[in-house]
């Protein structure tokens, strides 16, 4: 594993190159496919940038809700099972807040320009 450039720097550099140097040169369906590729690289860059912190925060919230330890995948599975069994619901302290924050964290990666997401960010400030 190399120290530099980081995966974040690499994906951002490729996206910027495609956006700034290649996109102006093509049109039609090829331009559409290029925009899709740029969007994918931007998404991966956001995932790499935010993943560690948001996963750690999600695990901490899940541990508090469930009273158990595990990976983010295992804890989410346990939460889903408890919800399905009716053991927890929106009246459970902390669940609504956890679901809201998890949704906001996912939107920050997947749809950061989504109007409703941006509006909700403005309410927090």
């Amino acid at each position: 594993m190399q120290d530099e450039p980081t995966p974040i720097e690499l994906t951002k550099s490729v996206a910027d190159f495609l956006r700034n140097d290649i996109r102006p040169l093509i049109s039609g369906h090829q331009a559409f496919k290029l925009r899709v590729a740029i969007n994918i690289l931007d998404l991966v860059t956001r995932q790499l940038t935010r993943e560690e912190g948001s996963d750690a925060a999600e695990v901490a919230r899940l541990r508090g809700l469930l009273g158990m330890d595990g990976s983010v995948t295992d804890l989410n599975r346990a939460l889903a099972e408890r919800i399905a069994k009716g053991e927890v619901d929106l009246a459970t302290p902390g669940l609504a807040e956890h679901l809201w924050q998890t949704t906001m964290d996912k939107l920050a990666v997947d749809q950061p320009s989504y109007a409703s997401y941006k509006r909700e960010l403005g309410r927090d400030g």
Side-chain angles (χ1 to χ4, degrees):
M1 177 180 239
Q2 299 294 319
D3 293 330
E4 303 236 352
T6 68
I8 293 168
E9 292 168 334
L10 291 169
T11 56
K12 185 176 179 340
S13 292
V14 172
D16 289 345
F17 167 72
L18 294 173
R19 184 180 295 109
N20 299 326
D21 295 353
I22 304 300
R23 186 170 59 183
L25 303 176
I26 62 174
S27 61
H29 189 66
Q30 296 302 319
F32 169 76
K33 291 194 296 190
L34 179 63
R35 281 193 309 275
V36 170
I38 292 168
N39 287 339
I40 290 168
L41 289 167
D42 289 341
L43 174 71
V44 169
T45 300
R46 289 189 303 271
Q47 285 176 335
L48 292 169
T49 301
R50 300 183 62 93
E51 156 179 76
E52 187 175 318
S54 63
D55 280 359
E58 184 176 357
V59 166
R61 289 190 309 270
L62 286 164
R63 285 178 181 157
L65 280 168
L66 301 171
M68 59 183 279
D69 202 4
S71 69
V72 69
T73 301
D74 293 339
L75 292 168
N76 274 304
R77 185 175 296 118
L79 178 61
E81 289 170 1
R82 289 185 189 185
I83 291 170
K85 291 176 183 176
E87 295 173 6
V88 296
D89 59 25
L90 289 176
T92 303
L95 180 60
E97 295 81 6
H98 164 70
L99 296 174
W100 185 254
Q101 189 58 55
T102 301
T103 299
M104 293 298 286
D105 290 347
K106 290 181 185 303
L107 286 172
V109 171
D110 191 47
Q111 297 291 328
S113 59
Y114 185 53
S116 295
Y117 170 72
K118 291 169 109 176
R119 185 173 52 249
E120 290 303 316
L121 281 180
R123 289 183 192 194
D124 293 339

